[in-house]
Amino acid sequence: MLLRNILLCLLFLAPGISFSQNTATITGLVTGEQNQPVEFATVVLEGTRFGATTNSNGDFTIKNLPAGTYQVRALLLGFTCTPQQVSLNAGETQTITIQLTPVSREIAEVEVFGVPNKQPEKLDVITRLPLKPSDQIQSISVISDRLIQEQGALTITDVTRNVPGVYNFATYGNKRESISSRGFRGIPVVKNGVRINSDFRGVGVLTDMEGVESIQIMKGASSISQGVAGDIGSPGGIVNIVTKTPKYEKGGYASLRVGSFGQVRPSFDVYGPLNESKTVAFRLNAALERADSYRKGVSLEKFYINPSLEWKPDNMTTLTLEMDYLNDSRTPDLGTIALSDDRYNIYTLPFDKFLGYTTDRTITKNATYAARLNRKLNDTYSIRAAIFRSDLDVPEIATRLSQGKRDENGDFILPGNQRQRSVVQSDRIDKNTVIQLDFIGQDVRTGFVKHTFQTGMDFRTNYLELPTYSSTVMDTIDVYTNIPNSMPKEAVSKITGTTISEATSIGFMVQDVMEFTPWAKAMVGARYSTTESRSSATAVIVRGDAINPLAGIILTPYKGLNVFASYTNSTSPRTAARLDKDGKELGNERIDQLEAGIKSDWFDNRLRFNLTLYKINNRNMNLQAVERDENGVLIQMPYFIKGGNDERKGIEVELVGRVLENLELIAGYARISAEYKEHTTFVEGSSPLNTPDHTANFWANYQVRNGSFKGLSLGGGVYYVGARPSNDWTNDGVDYHEITPGQAPWYLKAYTTVHLQASYQVNEHVGLRLLANNILNAEGYNAYRTSFINPIEPRNFAGVLTYRF
């Protein structure tokens, strides 16, 4: 029996043995231009399923090949090669060498996370150091225009949802975007390093994605390079919108996007050198958009243009001039209402109902300007000078809702389904200027220590003009019945006053990254900031100063793996003038931050894995003093005290890159624990409004590079935002922002959206992309407290036709 079984096994194996003896093998070496071995290159036999990946010595082996003739090609991002023809006989082994040549086109065009092994464009505007993100002791994520185009993203929220722990705080009626991170309300959103809106909480901005080269998200304090917490040194982080810059090769495209709700959006981008010596280059991109909305009576009209010019008089000097202009006219959408303020009771307002008037309109006119000079003094030292300017004007006529007055018990007179409507006019004129000067040294040696350092200064000015208009009460509506959208009478709008605020700040800083060995670095830095502000509302000039340190270490136990830890703090002078019981000013608040994690890149920087842990505490707040009366009721005292503890801590995990030559992947998860731990205003253990405990993101895109379906790309993403408190939870007896004292907030429900894209490159010029957003038609809301309760956009589709030249 045993002998029979052995014979049967040999009989079944015989065809396989015979096949293996009649197959062929290709072995070889993949090298670069200098004949150095290239690791992680993919070697393919075109038109077949056979392939291999090179090892650390650049070697590869492809076995079990049928006899025949093959075209052998090596693939590696940023390189090209000429395919080799190999003819194989049965049982033969051939050895070949393939040489890769770098492509001239910038790799940033084909990567979703920027250029490998290079600092992203304009990141030094924020960090002030010439280091790539993996070498910084701060959590930094960069999303390039490659991903923006791939996903068809049109808003800042669309882009930043690809970064763990970054989420939309509020849209204030879908008329601007406020972004939050790590439990901090509305972190600053800047464009090319200059603040667009000077509100310290970042009430939101608008931009157009056509002019965006990348969006850079730096989480945690940027106080060393950017200043105090009330400015863009926010402890929650900063979002930098980087506009497109000139290229020294000819190219560009024109595209037309047509989508749901009447969207029509033509756009173009053209660039190239202006002279034969390629010392001057330009770029011009622009977009027009006209769209309605899922909401009846809501529409959008937008124009955007972004010209730029760059001059390189020699190989040591670069001067870049930039400008972009946005004119966005849209209907502010009040969304829906909450039928009660003590529990989740959002009314699902039908999309054919609109709570405002047909005359409501918000116009955002924003122009930014930049001039940047980079001059290399030699291979070690360089200087950098830049001036940035932003002019913002936001005139608006909009409807306001109110539940009316309260009765003697504190309850609203109007029932939850009714609102009083008023019309109010407003305007905001906001001008910001930033001047930066830096002296930079790279690979400077003092003994056995190698330094990369920066020392510099910056000067910032802000001018803010806020006219105040009277409002007109128009009528009362019931969401259960028909809602008229024509004004029943003429609205009277008179200026009752204008507040003008001006502020200046100066900062001096130094940063030094010291490399003691190839595997051990330390970073130290300090900044001195001065601030001065005044308002026409008072006759007081407020002055303040602060010193903020930075210290951290970076260990590299393995090439491509950095382990880091850091401490920094940021200073807030916003409430420094508050007086204690003895009439003395309490001074600045200070927020401390500890951060640690792993930054790693794999497969020649094609895949990045980052893990960050953070803890941020503000134990140095200037708090309203409270005492309990004989009945145990909290009474707010007419002075302030020093103390408290607002804490934010959490974990962020990020995986991004090209796991295969034709498969891109972005995945992330964040756990956010934000609590008022010791506070005289808020309930112990409660969370700041609109802070989710969890966020998660996933996106994958597969490109077909060979065969009949070459040029086809398929992608999809899933995004999750956890439940968020609709309001802050104040202590009983404490009045704060018209919140009902002692009332626990209800929570906006968690939601998950799913998005798909398919594109096909017909030839080198023509491409078509189809987009399907929120395909499961998930329901979710963003809100500012219990106002502006706006649903996320329902299921929608778009098609984009692009011609490249």
Side-chain angles (χ1 to χ4, degrees), residues 8 21 243 256 278 286 351 418 454 497 553 555 584 681 733:
L8 287 173
Q21 290 175 342
T243 57
L256 175 66
K278 293 187 177 182
F351 290 157
Q418 295 184 11
Q454 171 266 339
I553 57 171
L555 303 178
K584 297 179 180 178
T681 300

Side-chain angles (χ1 to χ4, degrees), residues 330-344:
R330 63 178 64 199
T331 310
D333 181 8
L334 291 165
T336 184
I337 64 171
L339 299 174
S340 58
D341 63 355
D342 59 349
R343 67 186 187 280
Y344 182 90

